[in-house]
Amino acid sequence: MRPVTKTDSPFSLSAYLARRKKIVEEALEEYLPGEDMFPQEIVRAFRYSVFAGGKRLRPILCMAAAEAVGGTSDAVMPAACAVELLHTYSLIHDDLPAMDDDDFRRGRPSCHRAFGEAVAILAGDALLTESFRLMAEAAAPSGRVVRVIREVADAAGWRGMVGGQVVDLDCGKTGMNPDTLHYIHTHKTAALIAASVRAGAILAGARTRELSMLTVYGNAVGLAFQIADDILDAGTDQRTSTGDTQESRKRITYPGLYGIASSKAQAEKLAGEAAGALKSFDTKAEPLRMIARFIVERED
Ligand code: GRG
C-alpha cells in the first residue's frame, strides 16, 4: 500500500489500511476452509482468488462505518469478510471468457486460467453463496442482520452490480452517453461499496440520521472510486504484462466521455461530498474521512 503523501495528518492512513488489511485476511483465513478440505479443487480455486492480494477496501469501509457510529469492528467482521467474498466472486466471473476474458488478475493468472473455466464459475458461485452464509453470522440483533442481507443482495444482484455489469456488456450497442455511464458506475461498482458502508453502520445500530449521512458518503466514495479506477486505467492501458488492464473489451469510462481533467474534477467533487456528509460525526469517523481522500489519490 503506498504511503499517503498529500494528506499528512497525525492519523496515518497507510498504517491504518495495512493493519486493517491484515486483520481482514486473518479473519478470512478463519472463516474459509483450509486448502486440504474436500472437495479440494474448488476450495483451492476460491482461496487462490480470495488470497490474491486485494486492497480489502470494502471490508475496511464496513468496519470503519461500524466504528463511526460507536460499534466495534469485531462484531461486524463476518459481514465485512462477506462483502470481500462477494467482491472476489464478481472479479472471478468478470474475468471469464464470456465476460471480459482477462488472463490476469492482481498480477497473476486469473482463476479460470489457473483452474479452468468450469471450476472458476463454481468458485465464484461458492463465494457468492458463502458470503450470504457469513453475513447471517454477524453478532447483531437478527432484525439488523436480515436487513443487511437484503440490502447486500440488492446491491449485488440485478438491481445493483449484476445490472451494472449487463448494461456495461451491452454498451457496445447502446453507445457512450452520460446516463448509461452513470448507471453502469453507480450499479456495477458504487452499489456494493455503499452497501459495505451501510452494512457496518446498520449492524452497529446507526441512528436514522447517521445512516442517511453514511449513505451519502458511501454513494459518493463508490462513484469516486470507479472514476479514479477509470483514470488509472486510462494512464496504464499499456500495462498489459500483468493483463490487469488488457482491455479485451472496450469499456465505457469517465475519461472516455469527459476527458481526464474533468474526470479528476468530478472525483474530487465526490470526495468533498463524502467528507461533507461526515461533518456531524466525531473523530471516530476520521478513517472514513481519510479513505475518501485515499480513494481519489490512490495509484493502484
Ligand atoms: C460478474 C456480476 C459480475 C459483476 C462484475 C465488479 C465487476 C462487475 C467487475 C470487475 C471489473 C471492474 C472494472 C470492476 C469495477 C470495480 C473495480 C474497480 C473493481 C476492482 O476493485 P478493487 O480495486 O480490487 O477494490 P482489489 O484487487 O483491490 O480487491
Side-chain angles (χ1 to χ4, degrees), residues 37 40 46 50 63 106 112 116 128 142 148 180 205 232 237 275:
M37 189 74 97
Q40 248 179 338
F46 64 65
V50 170
M63 293 189 282
R106 294 163 170 166
H112 68 276
L128 173 60
S142 57
V148 163
T180 309
L232 285 171
D237 274 352

Side-chain angles (χ1 to χ4, degrees), residues 151-214:
E151 286 208 10
V152 175
D154 280 351
W158 69 270
R159 293 175 179 83
M161 185 169 67
V162 169
Q165 177 78 347
V166 83
V167 174
D168 191 6
L169 289 173
D170 221 31
C171 78
K173 285 179 233 149
T174 51
M176 274 211 192
N177 71 69
D179 289 346
T180 309
L181 177 64
H182 189 257
Y183 182 93
I184 292 170
H185 281 21
T186 52
H187 288 72
K188 192 177 84 172
T189 308
L192 186 60
I193 290 178
S196 304
V197 171
R198 280 181 61 89
I202 291 169
L203 291 170
R207 287 190 285 263
T208 308
R209 168 96 187 135
E210 290 173 323
L211 189 57
S212 79
M213 291 294 97
L214 285 168

Side-chain angles (χ1 to χ4, degrees), residues 19-240:
R19 264 195 323 273
R20 289 291 159 125
K21 181 169 145 85
K22 186 163 177 284
I23 290 170
V24 170
E25 282 168 5
E26 284 165 2
L28 285 166
E29 191 60 67
E30 185 192 321
Y31 296 139
L32 290 175
E35 293 264 342
D36 51 355
M37 189 74 97
F38 186 82
Q40 248 179 338
E41 183 71 351
I42 189 73
V43 173
R44 282 182 50 235
F46 64 65
R47 284 185 57 98
Y48 173 85
S49 291
V50 170
F51 295 108
K55 291 181 285 299
R56 315 304 189 191
L57 178 70
R58 293 152 192 82
I60 291 172
L61 282 169
C62 180
M63 293 189 282
E67 289 169 340
V69 299
T72 68
S73 54
D74 278 356
V76 300
M77 193 59 79
C81 288
V83 291
E84 182 67 12
L85 298 188
L86 219 152
H87 165 62
T88 309
Y89 126 76
S90 77
L91 299 181
I92 295 174
H93 280 197
D94 186 64
D95 289 339
L96 289 168
M99 299 226 197
D100 256 21
D101 195 12
D102 278 323
D103 289 344
F104 291 88
R105 166 71 59 186
R106 294 163 170 166
R108 59 181 187 160
S110 46
C111 192
H112 68 276
R113 295 298 295 171
F115 293 89
E117 216 176 313
V119 172
I121 292 170
L122 292 169
D125 293 343
L127 289 176
L128 173 60
T129 44
E130 191 69 8
S131 81
F132 284 99
R133 182 180 194 278
L134 203 46
M135 252 176 270
E137 286 181 10
S142 57
R144 291 182 199 167
V145 176
V146 170
R147 183 174 176 195
V148 163
I149 288 173
R150 182 181 168 155
E151 286 208 10
V152 175
D154 280 351
W158 69 270
R159 293 175 179 83
M161 185 169 67
V162 169
Q165 177 78 347
V166 83
V167 174
D168 191 6
L169 289 173
D170 221 31
C171 78
K173 285 179 233 149
T174 51
M176 274 211 192
N177 71 69
D179 289 346
T180 309
L181 177 64
H182 189 257
Y183 182 93
I184 292 170
H185 281 21
T186 52
H187 288 72
K188 192 177 84 172
T189 308
L192 186 60
I193 290 178
S196 304
V197 171
R198 280 181 61 89
I202 291 169
L203 291 170
R207 287 190 285 263
T208 308
R209 168 96 187 135
E210 290 173 323
L211 189 57
S212 79
M213 291 294 97
L214 285 168
T215 305
V216 173
Y217 171 90
N219 287 328
V221 294
L223 183 53
F225 179 84
Q226 185 56 64
I227 297 174
D229 200 68
D230 285 355
I231 295 168
L232 285 171
D233 273 0
T236 54
D237 274 352
Q238 66 276 29
R239 196 184 62 190
T240 50

